[in-house]
Amino acid sequence: MLDRGSYTTKILGSGGIYPYESKIERYLSDMRDYFIDRKAVEEILSSGRNPLIYVVYEISRELRGELNVGCTVIYPGKIGDEYHFTKGHFHSNVTTGEVYIGVSGEGLILMQDKNGAFNVGEIETGTVVYVPPGFAHRAVNTGKTELVFLAVYPSDAGHDYETIMRTGFAKIVVERGGRPTLIDNPNYRRI
Ligand code: S6P
Ligand code: ZN
């Protein structure tokens, strides 16, 4: 699939990148504890549906100083009032930052550090968002089409999903009056 001696890949839009090394699919059943409306989650799953929320196409490298590339495709939709999003994570290596580059679609990136600092950025075609070291990050698709973005991050970043899963993000993105709206997360717990 990926020739390790080749250093180029191509952005295919909602098809991700090609070639890639690995593909991760996240279905609603993989994220049942993430969405705020647990009742909506259980209703969807018990009706036999299990929507694909997002896919990540990745090329990872090994040595310190090398850079990984990931292309995420978040499918449009909501669970209850809440727009589809990625799980979100801190990097295990807290000294590592990341860059997100918007390819297509419309969305937001939520960023939050362990002291409670919170920041939100827009992702759309051509936007470049810097995620500073120490900030957990989650992308949210607020549009009607796939949200596609590239992520470039150090090969030794690692992913800590556990911490942000325990606290949640301080804000969530829901539809209010037909529009995406950032509201306080009623389940947020500060570390
Ligand atoms: C990796 C980078 C992205 C995410 C991807 C899925 O550091 O931030 O490639 O892995 O957007 O999000 P998550 O939170 O499920 O890893
Ligand atoms: Zn990351």
Side-chain angles (χ1 to χ4, degrees):
M1 202 172 281
L2 180 77
D3 171 5
R4 300 300 297 183
S6 163
Y7 298 123
T8 56
T9 189
K10 200 164 169 58
I11 302 169
L12 304 178
S14 55
I17 49 174
Y18 195 85
Y20 57 87
E21 181 190 12
S22 58
K23 179 180 175 183
I24 303 158
E25 294 176 321
R26 300 285 186 214
Y27 289 87
L28 181 60
S29 57
D30 302 313
M31 300 179 71
R32 57 194 324 153
D33 297 328
Y34 280 84
F35 289 96
I36 204 90
D37 190 342
R38 298 289 171 92
K39 198 163 154 258
V41 171
E42 294 314 319
E43 271 171 17
I44 295 167
L45 293 175
S46 62
S47 76
R49 287 179 298 137
N50 187 14
L52 181 59
I53 309 294
Y54 64 99
V55 179
V56 189
Y57 301 84
E58 263 178 352
I59 301 172
S60 51
R61 306 274 167 196
E62 276 160 24
L63 303 179
R64 191 152 167 243
E66 291 194 296
L67 297 171
N68 292 351
V69 173
C71 181
T72 304
V73 179
I74 310 180
Y75 295 96
K78 286 175 290 157
I79 304 299
D81 291 338
E82 199 176 12
Y83 293 91
H84 286 180
F85 53 67
T86 57
K87 288 184 171 184
H89 57 268
F90 284 97
H91 289 166
S92 318
N93 180 346
V94 292
T95 64
T96 57
E98 181 156 359
V99 172
Y100 275 22
I101 302 159
V103 173
S104 59
E106 288 166 33
L108 296 173
I109 172 167
L110 313 182
M111 293 178 265
Q112 170 176 310
D113 76 5
K114 289 181 181 165
N115 299 318
F118 182 86
N119 208 296
V120 60
E122 289 183 2
I123 317 180
E124 53 188 36
T125 312
T127 52
V128 179
V129 182
Y130 174 57
V131 181
F135 276 76
H137 36 287
R138 161 180 289 168
V140 185
N141 184 349
T142 56
K144 293 187 168 31
T145 60
E146 286 91 350
L147 174 65
V148 183
F149 61 90
L150 289 182
V152 182
Y153 55 104
S155 62
D156 61 344
H159 293 105
D160 164 15
Y161 290 99
E162 165 87 30
T163 307
I164 198 71
M165 206 190 155
R166 273 206 321 270
T167 64
F169 280 83
K171 309 268 182 189
I172 59 173
V173 188
V174 293
E175 186 182 72
R176 289 284 182 270
R179 300 174 63 102
T181 309
L182 198 63
I183 63 164
D184 287 340
N185 177 359
N187 297 342
Y188 173 56
R189 279 176 289 174
R190 266 193 81 162
I191 297 173

